[in-house]
Amino acid sequence: MWQSSPPGSIYDYIRVASFSIGPDGLIEQWSRRAAGLFGVAADEALGRDPVEAFMPAELRGDGHRRVGEVLDGREWTGLVPFRMPGEDAVHGLAEIYVMPSETAAGERAAVCIVVDVRALRRIETDLAASQAIFGQSPFGFVLFGTDLTVVRANQRFATVFGGQADDHRGRTVEDYLAGAEAARLTATLERVLATGDAVTDLQLVGTAPGDTERRHWSMNLYRVHSGSGRPTGIAGLATDVTRRHIAAREAASARRNLALLNEASARIGNSLDLETTARELLDVAVPGFCDLASVDLYQALLTGEEAPPGSWSPLREEAVGGSAELRRVAFASAVSGALPDIPGPRTATGPPALGAVHRYSFGSPCAVALRTGHVEDVPGDDRGFVQSTLAVPMVAHDTVVGLVQFSRTKGSEPFGERDRALATELAARAAVCIDNARLYRREHERALILQRSLLPPGDPEAAGLDIACRYLPGNTATEVGGDWFDVIELPGHRTALVVGDVMGRGLRAAVAMGELRTAVRTLALLDLEPAEVLSALDEVARGLGTPGAAISSGGGAQWPSRAAHKSREADLSEVYLATCVYAVYDPVTRRCTFANAGHLPPVVVEPGEAALLLDVPPGMPLGVGGEPFEEVEVELKEGALLALYTDGLVESRDHPLDEGLEALRGALVEPARPLEDVCDHVLSSLDTRHGEDDIALLMARIQGLPADAVGDWRLPREPRSVGRARELARGQLLTWNLGDLVDTTELLVSELVTNALRYGEGEIRLRLLRDRTLVCEVWDAGLVQPRRRRARDTDEGGRGLQLVGLLSAAWGSRRTPRGKTVWFELPLPDGGPAAERTVEELLSMF
């Protein structure tokens, strides 16, 4: 069956032509391909001598001889140079096959087959190059036909998928890939064949025959054509990029880990709260690192026990059947609706709930991690959805403070070595923050204990005074400062009111404040005048602020350097500078005596009057020394309001001190309101800028002792005054319905009046005061203070003060401007029977 040569046949590439020579040696037939090859039309070539027309002049002699031989019946094949006719003749080289023939008349002729050697050489070169590229390429090369079956594959392709290169002819995509990957590649081949658009870096995933490892290939696809442009198939170049994919995945993992660590640095540890820090860790880890996570901290750490949790011994763990008690303080999940299904201890209802206290069994991976301080793998539960879990101990400063568990669900990538290192780093960073929070909490609690121990109770009581107080530290982090106030009970139902301010803030200022407050209390109990108290306190402050006073001159610790000594001296000198106002209130006379050491003036608000700043001369601050302090005595009206405060209440960077003092006066416009409400109103209405400085506020409403609560008599200096004193005391007690105290009071009054007659001078004064207790005072003009001593068995006297000390709740003596006062105090009866004295107490009187 005859058919025409299809477009793009081999003859189009190798350029074959034919012509014939007649018996006369001239061209007799000229084909169209010859016309195309030589560029000469048939009408120009017919009848011409081919040697003369196409061969160079120097070869024509040999050409005529060869033509003659062919016409004599010899075949000839050879390479013949030729040129195109014309002035600009193009030279070429043709391979000619000359075959003798005969005409119809029996004459000799020849048929010539001509092949363009240049085109043939190009084809040979192209084939050699194609074979070299196809066969020697280190990449897998495959050629698909238009029916998407393999037409040809190179040996590299066969090495990956098995067999020889020829064994892959006729295979389809499904023979190499499975499922969705095969369908995706088939669709891509069809699109390339239909559109001619090349596809580069098509990522395919599969497994090679006999191998279970997932491999990744990158494939480039392009359509191939024949010489006439007809599509003949699709060429594919496949590269195994598994290692590159692994490297890229590791690089991405490293970038993710670095990003997580960077995020952890920014987000973990912003709070000094243990539970908040644990939640911050999980906010970073879930879902960026894992799907589920929980944090357990030692219960001892959360309750503030001194023993470090990491000191829990394995023997003790085994004895109690597991780890020390832990509390689950945080849990996070990226799985919607998932329960905390992290492997570990389980209760009757499942894993420990948030906030639950639990233990890990002795041999469990979690207990091992806590005991050894190393990461442990916790196997997943086949029935659950957790694939793998890392139990990571939280170690800070070689101390295990808790355990964090990171879990990934089934379907996620399992944890690798990089993940273990990252988990350890995350847990370590959180552990340091948690340990810092623990140390802060401990120091904070200690500071609070110190601060609270240095301040009076929240509702101090005093005779003739209604008192309210407020303290706001400027340092909200430690809640300690250098401001202080105090309410000190003095003999005779008098009360000392103290407000002071140590220069500086924080714990050092609080310590200095505590030392000064203790000194104030000690000096107050000596019942000195306010100016004398401040003078003595100034000496104490200067002594405390002298570094050399605390350094032993011989054999003791030495400062490391002269510079350090000077720095320490400067620090201490600044810390122990303080201001203070000291006031003593007598409820009998409603008179208050003030002394001021560089402090702000007290404020007094009398009923119906505007607030007034008392003109108390401000002396030098405590610790400066060199100047005496002055006293001012003020008689206060019943119901008047007295306010003592520190500068944090009235001074800030936004307004001067005068404006703050005026604002304080304006805030004290309703002194008749409940005192607690007045304090709250002052703090809320003034722009205190709390946080810049400490604030101490002490307010007292004057309530003098009523006249019927005071018995005051003057007695002549004669023996019968002893009996008169007993009668007066008895009568007053019966008037007060204190008959239970008559006998004891008569006995003690008799002892004190007798001593005043024996050892004192001048007129004797007896005074009884009834408030929360009964106070008896005996005044005389003598300066010699009574001294208690233990009488010998042979002594006839000397037991009076022992008797006073035994029968009274408290007793003492104090100087007065005109002598001294000896006093004792008895508690008021509560309606129950009086406690009987022990034999030892009774014998001690004799």
Side-chain angles (χ1 to χ4, degrees), residues 157-171:
F157 185 87
T159 301
V160 175
F161 290 99
Q164 298 298 319
D166 293 340
D167 297 337
H168 293 270
R169 295 181 185 273
R171 292 186 179 181

Side-chain angles (χ1 to χ4, degrees), residues 281 295-297 370 392-396 399-404 427-428 430-431 434:
L281 168 61
V295 176
D296 299 322
L297 297 180
L370 289 169
V392 186
M394 306 178 74
V395 183
T399 299
V400 179
V401 299
L403 183 77
V404 57
I434 287 175

Side-chain angles (χ1 to χ4, degrees), residues 79 82 91 95 165 180 182 269 301 327 342 435 441 589 653 689 694 736 756 758:
L79 295 176
F82 69 90
H91 296 271
E95 185 176 83
L301 181 145
R327 184 193 304 171
I342 295 177
D435 193 53
R441 174 182 290 184
T589 62
R653 283 176 277 181
R689 299 288 180 179
D694 306 332
W736 288 339
R758 182 175 299 177

Side-chain angles (χ1 to χ4, degrees), residues 499-501 579-581 596-602 616 618-619 621 644-647:
V499 168
D501 183 1
T579 63
C580 178
V581 61
N596 190 350
H599 204 79
L600 295 175
V616 180
L644 305 178
Y645 52 93
T646 57
D647 57 359

Side-chain angles (χ1 to χ4, degrees), residues 114 229 266 363 443 494 648 720 776:
V114 183
E443 296 304 320
R494 295 171 306 135
R720 64 178 182 177
C776 176

Side-chain angles (χ1 to χ4, degrees), residues 649-681:
L649 182 67
V650 295
E651 187 177 22
S652 74
R653 283 176 277 181
D654 295 335
H655 57 74
L657 177 61
D658 292 343
E659 292 183 7
L661 292 174
E662 193 62 31
L664 174 60
R665 293 180 58 196
L668 297 173
V669 293
E670 299 181 23
R673 296 172 57 184
L675 204 55
E676 294 292 337
D677 295 345
V678 176
C679 282
D680 293 337
H681 176 69

Side-chain angles (χ1 to χ4, degrees), residues 445-455 480 507 510-511 514:
E445 290 176 351
R446 290 177 177 178
L448 285 179
I449 292 173
L450 170 64
Q451 185 76 55
R452 291 166 182 168
S453 67
L454 297 179
L455 295 176
V480 295
L507 189 59
V511 172

